[in-house]
Amino acid sequence: MDTLRLAIPSTGALEQGAAKLLAESDAAVSRVNSRRYTAMMPSIPGVEVIYQRQSDITTIVDSGNADLGIVGLDRYLESRLEDGDSLVVVPDLEYGNSRLVIAVPDSWLDITSMYDLSDLSLEFHERGRDLRIATKYPRLVKRFFNRRGINYFSMVAINGALEAAPRIGYADIIADISDTGNTLRENNLRTLVDGVAMDSQAIMIGNAALLARSDDKLALTRRLLERIEARLRSRSYRRVTANVRGESEGDIAEMILASRELSGMTGPTVSRVYTSDGNRWFAVQIVTKKSDVLRVVDHLRQLGGTGTAVTDLQFLYQSECTLYARLIENLDQFSGAVDPC
């Protein structure tokens, strides 16, 4: 069997989030120690996990040194090859939310928007120099500035903390990923009111050419995606159970279905409860959206429901894995017909 190689960030919030999500998806990674850069996934034999710098993961997948990778959307769009083999497999892993922002020194009181920055860049140009931007995302930042008609600027490469660049005179402004904005504020920087270049989150990418050529890798990918999708979907739903008195299962179901929007994904599950006093009670179970839980509870109360309990779901599978079906569609261009099974 071909081994499926999954690249994961070696450090930071994306690594921690990946470990948590995979563990919750019954696909926990077994790593000997933090200095070991390879690991296994015991619940899915055949998957090898490799730990890499997040900035390198897109290149590693594009070059075919890994089949799948977990990376920030920002890093993927910045690093991917325009004619490469990588594609997005999971567009949102529901963690790692952040923004690529344009931040200026607090002392620039008159610069609050990209329009103001455009005027300033023109003024700098007329003085014989460009507006200097410190960033690790030159590709994305250039596109963002050009879309707003700003053409007089230059990129400044920096390996350390970008926030110090304006203070030490290495750059005028910065463009960097931010989640809370605390680091910017602590370094006397602020985001322009319309200075969000993009929203980002953790995604899963894959090498389409490698996956399309191997039935083994596709089978392993499907097992992984099935678990992740079911886990992510379950977060949006809750199971509501209650005991309701009535004449029969059918009568109880009919009362609940009278409010169709509160009767669950496909309808309630109703079963007889056997009591010592001989009264006819029925257990009702409804899987509903998290946002509708209180309305469902009130609906059951109006029907005489009691002992109502609300529980989390660990997994919620549908009739097919949407993520895998979409992957197969995207792989058709690389291999012709791909067996979805």
Side-chain angles (χ1 to χ4, degrees):
M1 174 177 284
D2 291 339
T3 297
L4 181 76
R5 304 188 78 191
L6 169 65
I8 291 179
S10 55
T11 59
L14 283 189
E15 184 276 328
Q16 296 169 12
K20 184 175 185 294
L21 174 62
L22 292 172
E24 291 178 350
S25 302
D26 194 23
V29 177
S30 177
R31 189 180 186 186
V32 176
N33 58 62
S34 60
R35 295 181 298 277
R36 183 77 173 266
Y37 289 96
T38 59
M40 304 305 293
M41 194 173 285
S43 63
I44 309 181
V47 175
E48 180 184 19
V49 176
I50 56 176
Y51 288 88
Q52 297 289 317
R53 293 188 306 176
Q54 192 206 166
S55 58
D56 295 335
I57 287 179
T58 299
T59 302
I60 289 170
V61 173
D62 251 328
S63 64
N65 290 309
D67 304 291
L68 300 173
I70 292 177
V71 68
L73 177 61
D74 55 299
R75 288 290 187 184
Y76 174 67
L77 295 179
E78 176 66 29
S79 304
R80 71 187 178 96
L81 299 176
E82 294 291 349
D83 58 349
D85 291 332
S86 65
L87 79 170
V88 176
V89 178
V90 185
D92 188 358
L93 290 170
E94 298 186 6
Y95 78 92
N97 295 325
S98 59
R99 304 182 302 169
L100 177 59
V101 301
I102 312 302
V104 302
D106 283 333
S107 59
W108 289 16
L109 300 179
D110 295 333
I111 309 299
T112 62
S113 68
M114 292 297 293
Y115 181 81
D116 297 331
L117 200 61
S118 177
D119 285 345
L120 183 64
S121 70
L122 182 59
E123 182 180 331
F124 278 13
H125 181 69
E126 292 172 347
R127 294 178 184 174
R129 78 174 184 90
D130 286 339
L131 177 71
R132 297 168 302 164
I133 309 169
T135 186
K136 298 175 183 177
Y137 300 89
R139 188 177 183 182
L140 295 176
V141 173
K142 184 178 186 299
R143 290 176 180 173
F144 181 67
F145 273 61
N146 290 162
R147 286 197 301 267
R148 281 150 182 79
I150 305 176
N151 299 304
Y152 300 123
F153 61 87
S154 59
M155 301 293 181
V156 177
I158 187 170
N159 294 322
L162 296 179
E163 292 81 7
R167 179 183 292 274
I168 64 178
Y170 191 67
D172 301 304
I173 66 175
I174 73 168
D176 199 15
I177 287 292
S178 175
D179 49 6
T180 65
N182 290 336
T183 303
L184 294 177
R185 287 188 290 271
E186 290 173 358
N187 287 275
N188 301 311
L189 298 170
R190 55 180 168 79
T191 302
L192 297 178
V193 292
D194 56 350
V196 178
M198 67 167 293
D199 292 312
S200 182
Q201 67 280 335
I203 65 173
M204 179 180 288
I205 61 175
N207 185 295
L210 291 179
L211 295 174
R213 289 198 298 262
S214 173
D215 291 339
D216 290 341
K217 291 182 179 182
L218 278 179
L220 291 168
T221 300
R222 179 178 184 177
R223 293 179 63 183
L224 181 59
L225 292 181
E226 286 273 16
R227 300 181 190 206
I228 291 175
E229 180 175 275
R231 176 56 187 163
L232 294 179
R233 184 185 294 115
S234 73
R235 294 176 177 176
S236 300
Y237 289 84
R238 296 292 184 270
R239 179 184 290 107
V240 181
T241 57
N243 291 331
V244 180
R245 290 185 66 170
E247 293 301 317
S248 67
E249 289 92 337
D251 289 340
I252 298 295
E254 185 176 349
M255 290 190 295
I256 294 173
L257 288 168
S259 296
R260 185 65 189 86
E261 72 278 8
L262 301 178
S263 60
M265 297 181 65
T266 55
T269 299
V270 184
S271 58
R272 178 71 185 274
V273 176
Y274 294 90
T275 62
S276 58
D277 58 13
N279 289 324
R280 298 182 67 82
W281 286 88
F282 295 88
V284 175
Q285 182 178 127
I286 296 173
V287 175
T288 187
K289 290 182 179 178
K290 182 180 177 181
S291 57
D292 290 334
V293 165
L294 289 181
R295 295 176 63 207
V296 171
V297 171
D298 285 340
H299 181 45
L300 292 173
R301 284 172 173 166
Q302 293 171 6
L303 300 178
T306 185
T308 304
V310 179
T311 56
D312 294 338
L313 303 177
Q314 184 175 4
F315 296 99
L316 183 57
Y317 292 91
Q318 294 285 50
S319 57
E320 72 168 1
C321 178
T322 304
L323 292 174
Y324 185 73
R326 186 182 301 126
L327 172 63
I328 293 300
E329 291 179 4
N330 291 331
L331 292 185
D332 283 346
Q333 60 181 305
F334 291 90
S335 64
V338 178
D339 184 0
C341 297

